[in-house]
Amino acid sequence: MNQPQCQVVHHVLGRVRLRLQGLEQGLFHLEATVAQWPGITSVRTNTAAHSLIVHYDPGHWQLGALYTEVTRLLDRLATGKDEEFLEVAADYVPLSVAMLGVSLLALPLEIPALLVGAGLTVTALPFITEAVRGLAQRQRIQVELLDSLWMGLHTLRGEWVAPALLMVGADLLGRYKHHLQVLDERNLATQTQATVMHLSEQLLPPTLLSSSLIWLATGSLAAGLPPLQLDFATPLRVVLPLAVHQGLVQTGLPDGATLETLAQLRHLTVAPALAGDALIEALQQRGVRVTVAPTPWRAGAFLEAAGQTWQLTLAEGKTITVPPEQLIPMLDAAQATLKRLYQAIAMVTVPNLAVVTAGLFWGLPPVGAVSTNLLATLAALWHCGLLVPEALPATVPVLELSR
């Protein structure tokens, strides 16, 4: 990828038009990130002209400083890791929504099938690109390959609405992911997420194989398509980090791994100076067994005083400095977040498995399958309190953490 560059095409006080060169993906992220800067009143990208139009407050920005910051942002896009599938898909939301409308009106308006198919193919480029990249660069099957096959085969069968609806859902998930990255740069990964993603990857080869075998055994393309709908990883890649983000905001903890470790706390050694009946009872009510000792009774968590604050040392050696009155609320929020993670996994996974089963045995229409999966994802986002991406809770200063 060439180094992205920009040049000033036109400028009047408060408005500048920049021509972008070498930036083939990520226009949505560029636009949304610049719009977050103070003193920026509006931002618009023109994909066809490869330009960025920025309206700014002249009292806050000078042209040179604004140009420098945009250039730095382009450099970060170029030198950072490859954009993930969902991040790229966010740029395609207007196109996917337009193609959904075209697909719905194709039959009444007698739009040529070739035109509709070409439009769906262009809209599916993030899926196709990521599927090819997985095979060529990573030597593994990715869920985007199954999605690409499912959409392509349904498109060839003249079933256009379902592929378009699937792409709208995936592109909207990309917007959620971007808003999350704008708000929170902390590590949101947890072992729960890693386990789910690993399981989903392990299911991909047998899923593709079973689809092929059913097709060959029955001679029916329609019979072999339902297994390709097995995709709970894509929505969970967004839902779970969003839920962790909300938990970090509530607890002030520094990352998802620390939050998960705290939520799974089952034994805590408490220094004698802190071992009041109220604290011990509160911990026991939350499923934490308490041992009173001046040093950790065994390898595990240890709570001790540190001046006016308390220090909670977790099993892996991380020490959190927390005000006494915040310990129990922090533990409650961490446990509630982990519970939401498990519930969100069930809310997304169970309907997806049901859709695949219904398609195999009862021939569930593809539009019904996609709609079920999309509604399940929205329900999981709503359950986590995150249905509107722009309303994501802002971050707060994290608690002091040491090792």
Side-chain angles (χ1 to χ4, degrees), residues 18 21 26 36 40 87 96 103 118 139 152 166 168 180-181 191 235 253 282 285 291 294 317 334 346 361-362 366 376:
L18 302 171
Q21 298 176 342
Q36 297 285 332
I40 301 297
E87 296 171 344
S96 62
S103 300
Q139 288 78 51
L166 187 150
V168 169
L180 177 64
Q181 291 174 331
Q191 185 58 46
L253 292 170
Q285 289 175 348
T291 299
F361 293 99
W362 299 287

Side-chain angles (χ1 to χ4, degrees), residues 201-246:
E201 290 180 359
Q202 296 300 309
L203 290 175
L204 294 179
T207 298
L208 184 58
L209 178 61
S210 65
S211 176
S212 303
L213 292 177
I214 293 172
W215 183 4
L216 292 174
T218 63
S220 170
L221 175 60
L225 286 176
L228 298 179
Q229 297 170 303
L230 184 64
D231 179 12
F232 52 83
T234 299
L236 290 180
R237 273 191 284 175
V238 177
V239 173
L240 299 187
L242 287 172
V244 172
H245 164 76
Q246 188 180 52

